[in-house]
Amino acid sequence: MSLSFITLGIGDAFSALRYSSCFAVEAEDQVLLVDCPHPIRKMMREASESSGVPLDADRVSAVALTHLHADHASGLESLGYFSFFVLQRKLEVLAHPAVANRLWEGNLAAGMECLIERRGEPPNDKHFEDYFDHTPLSTEAAVRHGPFLIESRMTYHHVPTTALRIHAGGRCLGYSADTAFDEGLIDWLSKADLIIHETNYGVHTPYEKLAALPAELRARMRLIHYPDDFDTSASLIEPLAQGRRYNV
């Protein structure tokens, strides 16, 4: 299998039924996490059990981060700490500079900037570079990470967010990330062999817009980030199932 992915979570930020949307992309025995909600290691363990694919933090070579909303980024602190203390290595984060700009000061610093190593001694100040390596993604050119070649495109969302096209083994997986409906983005994603597209209420993409796309495109599309009341049995586009492995 040249390129595959395992769904760790498929729900939205308000789901009472499912984990937040996140998946692990695999090629050449290397695993790239796309987004990192909490509790990421529990999500990996349960997906490993259901899919039969061994998954844990030691197999993750990097996290491709689409944006900073908590349902997509809240697990970075725990995964960064686990990598630092247990695996004794830095966690690589692939993110567009517009996404990474506030990752430390706006999200991680409050919980990670101070370590007290010995009682009575001054705190041990830490910085982003102590825990993480940042590889910038670009909307101008593809970025290489191991067997993966990653392209990105900005989406319409509350905060800076990037859609992704991930290439490996002669195949391409497209991911909309969180976005309002965008015909330009649909066209960009249509170049992929398989497309994962979000659907939800509000600023997100309405299912009706995706259901009206050409049948050939819908056949190559899978849904993620859908709300708990979404009628999966009536969907014209296959909804992803949590904890399952898919080939691209």
Side-chain angles (χ1 to χ4, degrees):
M1 288 177 280
S2 58
L3 181 61
S4 65
F5 65 93
I6 303 97
T7 49
L8 310 184
I10 56 174
D12 64 5
F14 307 129
S15 179
L17 302 177
R18 308 175 183 98
Y19 289 128
S20 297
S21 293
C22 174
F23 51 94
V25 185
E26 186 178 31
E28 298 181 17
D29 201 37
Q30 192 160 318
V31 171
L32 173 70
L33 276 188
V34 176
D35 287 337
C36 186
H38 185 74
I40 188 61
R41 289 193 68 222
K42 187 174 189 291
M43 294 168 66
M44 284 193 282
R45 180 184 63 79
E46 292 182 10
S48 180
E49 291 174 350
S50 59
S51 68
V53 180
L55 283 175
D56 202 350
D58 61 340
R59 288 204 65 209
V60 175
S61 62
V63 175
L65 188 65
T66 65
H67 66 294
L68 299 186
H69 278 157
D71 59 323
H72 294 263
S74 58
L76 274 176
E77 179 182 314
S78 62
L79 192 60
Y81 269 143
F82 188 86
S83 297
F84 181 82
F85 286 112
V86 180
L87 302 179
Q88 297 186 343
R89 70 185 192 197
K90 294 182 182 181
L91 176 64
E92 185 171 357
V93 177
L94 311 173
H96 189 278
V99 175
N101 182 47
R102 298 189 64 194
L103 177 56
W104 179 251
E105 290 297 335
N107 286 61
L108 298 173
M112 301 186 79
E113 67 183 353
C114 179
L115 292 182
I116 301 176
E117 295 186 340
R118 291 182 178 85
R119 186 179 298 276
E121 292 188 1
N124 183 357
D125 292 338
K126 294 293 183 185
H127 306 278
F128 179 88
E129 296 76 15
D130 293 307
Y131 303 103
F132 305 96
D133 286 322
H134 175 222
T135 298
L137 296 180
S138 171
T139 56
E140 304 299 324
V143 174
R144 170 70 65 181
H145 172 75
F148 306 105
L149 192 65
I150 305 167
E151 299 173 286
S152 61
R153 186 185 194 277
M154 302 307 295
T155 76
Y156 293 104
H157 199 41
H158 297 291
V159 297
T161 304
T162 54
L164 304 172
R165 290 193 305 214
I166 303 172
H167 303 258
R171 303 290 286 176
C172 178
L173 175 65
Y175 179 42
S176 70
D178 285 12
T179 183
F181 181 72
D182 177 3
E183 292 181 353
L185 176 60
I186 294 291
D187 182 65
W188 188 81
L189 291 169
S190 71
K191 310 303 190 294
D193 296 290
L194 189 70
I195 302 161
I196 300 173
H197 205 293
E198 72 112 78
T199 184
N200 214 290
Y201 305 122
V203 75
H204 297 275
T205 299
Y207 164 75
E208 292 75 17
K209 292 284 190 179
L210 299 177
L213 294 172
E216 183 278 332
L217 187 56
R218 295 198 312 263
R220 293 188 287 118
M221 186 173 285
R222 304 292 181 267
L223 298 181
I224 199 169
H225 202 263
Y226 47 86
D228 286 352
D229 62 358
F230 182 73
D231 188 353
T232 57
S233 63
S235 178
L236 295 177
I237 303 168
E238 181 182 340
L240 291 174
Q242 188 166 289
R244 177 178 161 187
R245 185 185 204 175
Y246 296 83
N247 298 322
V248 178

